[in-house]
Amino acid sequence: MASYADPSSDERVEQVEWAESGGGPLIAIPEVVLPFWSGADGDELASDYDRACEVDGLIGLLPVGNTTALVLGDEPAATAYLPEHGTFVRWSAGESERELPAGVPAALATAAWGREVHWQVPGTVVLFDAAWPGSGATRAGHLRIALEPGRYAVRAAHGEPGPETWIGLVQLRPLGR
């Protein structure tokens, strides 16, 4: 987990935690099935990581254990979760950590959303590099996100909240419980 807060700034900035990838997709897996994710390891012809890399587009769902995981595809961008917006924010370009969350409301309002998927979540999920096995995902470089159990509509888009700022958005909207 990385933080990009500017320590030289006099302004008090709420610190946002970011998960990063070594080059492949990030994946949000329900905590209860983490042991079933083998990452790039495994004896299969195609590893779990290979399955995640095959997701075409910004988002996709993969079976893991008796539930599904959300793959954040497209590019291996540093990603934070902003619960006040129910949104994963993916850092494509920007001057500072501070300007990314500040631009999210404008980006959400003007986003051209792609296809929507429905994700059944049993509770808390862990976001991490899909190459790691689930058993090691909580050691470092992960985000633990407390979600209410239920169905979520998930949609994704790219946003440009400023002239030099580009972000990816993956929004989770609760559906009827």
Side-chain angles (χ1 to χ4, degrees):
M1 193 166 10
S3 175
Y4 298 104
D6 181 2
S8 64
S9 173
D10 291 335
E11 237 178 273
R12 182 153 174 84
V13 176
E14 186 175 324
Q15 194 156 329
V16 175
E17 299 294 331
W18 299 82
E20 295 181 331
S21 163
L26 291 171
I27 190 163
I29 297 182
E31 195 170 50
V32 296
V33 294
L34 277 176
F36 296 104
W37 183 259
S38 64
D41 298 338
D43 300 328
E44 306 290 323
L45 251 18
S47 68
D48 284 339
Y49 175 73
D50 293 329
R51 292 189 312 131
C53 289
E54 289 174 5
V55 166
D56 189 27
L58 301 177
I59 55 173
L61 298 174
L62 286 179
V64 178
N66 63 353
T67 188
T68 55
L70 176 66
V71 177
L72 305 184
D74 189 34
E75 62 180 57
T79 301
Y81 183 73
L82 303 180
E84 64 274 21
H85 300 292
T87 302
F88 289 103
V89 178
R90 311 200 70 211
W91 186 342
S92 296
E95 287 295 318
S96 72
E97 176 185 7
R98 178 185 13 242
E99 70 185 46
L100 293 176
V104 169
L108 289 170
T110 60
W113 298 101
R115 69 179 174 85
E116 185 174 276
V117 298
H118 290 178
W119 185 27
Q120 183 71 35
V121 177
T124 298
V125 300
V126 179
L127 179 74
F128 61 97
D129 186 330
W132 297 345
S135 60
T138 58
R139 290 191 195 130
H142 74 284
L143 295 178
R144 188 173 183 272
I145 300 149
L147 296 176
E148 289 294 319
R151 267 177 65 123
Y152 289 81
V154 183
R155 60 187 186 168
H158 289 288
E160 295 183 27
E164 300 291 324
T165 305
W166 301 289
I167 58 176
L169 302 165
V170 177
Q171 187 177 52
L172 309 178
R173 293 176 299 129
L175 296 171
R177 305 246 188 261

